[in-house]
Amino acid sequence: MENITLDRCCIHTITTKPWALPEAVENYAAAGIKGISVWQNAIEGIGPHRAGELIRRAGLEIVSYVRGGFFPHTSSAGRAQAIDHNRKLLEEAAALGAPMIVLVCGASPDQSLEKSRDQIREGIAAILPLAEKLGVKLAIEPLHPMYAADRSAINTMGQANDMAEYFKSPFVGVAVDVYHLWWDADLEKEIARCGANGNLLAYHVCDWKVNTIDLLNDRGLMGEGCIDLKKIRGWVEATGFNGFCEVEIFSNIHWAKDQHLFLGEITDAFLKTV
């Protein structure tokens, strides 16, 4: 496996949350970062067209738009509203120039996981025609089981593969995030399965801190935790995937820092540990 360079580094705008999009774009480009994944909040007040132009002028590649999904609801009105919201996000992704939208699929604690999974399948089916029309892929992101109650009923690579394969569409695939999947004994096998079916669309990196103090907003910078990032990248690349490794870190600790300092830590950690 070759050493990685910043040519394959993408940063999610949420990672440097204190920076507005123009500041993030300027600083990512200056640091030698080549890719950016744009969270919806980052384009507020700018709009997708202008945001896309700003990013491309800086020489960055737009990797994905984040995040759609949250399909399950106990009411039909709630499910319909979620589908409408996802269609709006697809229009925004196309206007931005993003090739894919990441789906945090959702769950409802007021119903079974099986029912939530059925509603996820129905929600993806409802938005897939528009995704195909706009040329925007749907990347199903399985989330750690700690989020099964209310954030996602898709919790393993096996479940994500099952869902993607159900649709048999080049516009539905999977986003692999190490934070959610590093613990899975079947991860290597399921990554290989995903790649063999042409469904591996994205790869996200951060780290799992042993003494995590907040399960949502205390992700580790790569190298701060216990995930074997090089091993998992090897599994991903063995499928033929040669796309961006996307740095996605939610961290109250890192957000409180000088973000210029944090960006330097990100690039250093990326080169050493990813």
Side-chain angles (χ1 to χ4, degrees):
M1 186 172 69
E2 294 182 359
N3 290 333
I4 202 161
T5 70
L6 292 181
D7 286 350
R8 290 187 59 201
C9 182
C10 164
I11 299 181
H12 283 236
T13 57
I14 199 70
T15 299
T16 55
K17 185 180 177 180
W19 279 341
L21 183 63
E23 193 174 9
V25 167
E26 178 182 358
N27 289 308
Y28 293 178
I33 306 302
K34 300 301 183 184
I36 185 169
S37 280
V38 182
W39 278 61
Q40 188 188 27
N41 68 298
I43 68 168
E44 291 174 2
I46 301 173
H49 286 287
R50 285 180 56 208
E53 290 170 358
L54 172 75
I55 293 166
R56 285 184 286 274
R57 278 200 306 270
L60 294 175
E61 182 174 338
I62 300 170
V63 179
S64 65
Y65 190 46
V66 192
R67 56 191 169 149
F70 294 98
F71 297 108
H73 290 272
T74 54
S75 73
S76 58
R79 295 192 294 276
Q81 186 176 13
I83 288 167
D84 288 344
H85 180 63
N86 277 273
R87 287 176 176 146
K88 176 178 177 288
L89 292 173
L90 280 168
E91 297 280 2
E92 291 174 357
L96 179 68
M100 79 177 92
I101 188 166
V102 177
L103 298 180
V104 174
C105 292
S108 171
D110 298 318
Q111 62 187 20
S112 70
L113 289 171
E114 290 78 13
K115 193 158 190 177
S116 285
R117 289 173 191 139
D118 288 343
Q119 292 172 0
I120 291 165
R121 189 178 297 107
E122 292 163 2
I124 293 173
I127 67 170
L128 182 55
L130 180 60
E132 293 173 339
K133 178 182 176 182
L134 296 174
V136 178
K137 294 183 178 181
L138 304 171
I140 299 165
E141 182 177 18
L143 264 57
H144 192 283
M146 64 186 172
Y147 294 126
D150 60 351
R151 284 184 176 267
S152 183
I154 305 299
N155 308 112
T156 66
M157 271 295 293
Q159 291 168 353
N161 279 330
D162 289 345
M163 188 70 70
E165 289 166 16
Y166 170 84
F167 289 99
K168 298 182 176 63
S169 168
F171 284 89
V172 180
V174 178
V176 173
D177 188 322
V178 297
Y179 187 73
H180 299 296
L181 298 169
W182 68 275
W183 54 273
D184 188 346
D186 292 327
L187 186 56
E188 181 180 10
K189 178 184 72 175
E190 291 296 337
I191 286 174
R193 171 188 168 190
C194 190
N197 287 310
N199 287 335
L200 208 168
L201 299 182
Y203 178 55
H204 300 177
V205 297
C206 62
D207 216 334
W208 183 282
K209 294 165 65 176
V210 176
N211 296 314
T212 298
I213 58 176
D214 183 316
L215 293 177
L216 181 61
N217 291 324
D218 190 31
R219 293 192 187 192
L221 175 68
M222 298 82 70
E224 284 188 323
C226 58
I227 301 177
D228 191 337
L229 293 165
K230 289 185 182 293
K231 180 173 72 175
I232 298 175
R233 177 165 70 90
W235 296 343
V236 168
E237 291 180 352
T239 71
F241 180 89
N242 62 357
F244 284 96
C245 297
E246 304 179 43
V247 179
E248 185 184 31
I249 301 170
F250 309 154
S251 170
N252 290 324
I253 293 170
H254 290 304
W255 289 332
K257 289 180 179 177
D258 179 308
Q259 294 299 284
H260 294 279
L261 173 64
F262 182 36
L263 182 58
E265 292 174 343
I266 289 170
T267 56
D268 184 58
F270 187 89
L271 294 172
K272 288 180 178 177
T273 68
V274 172

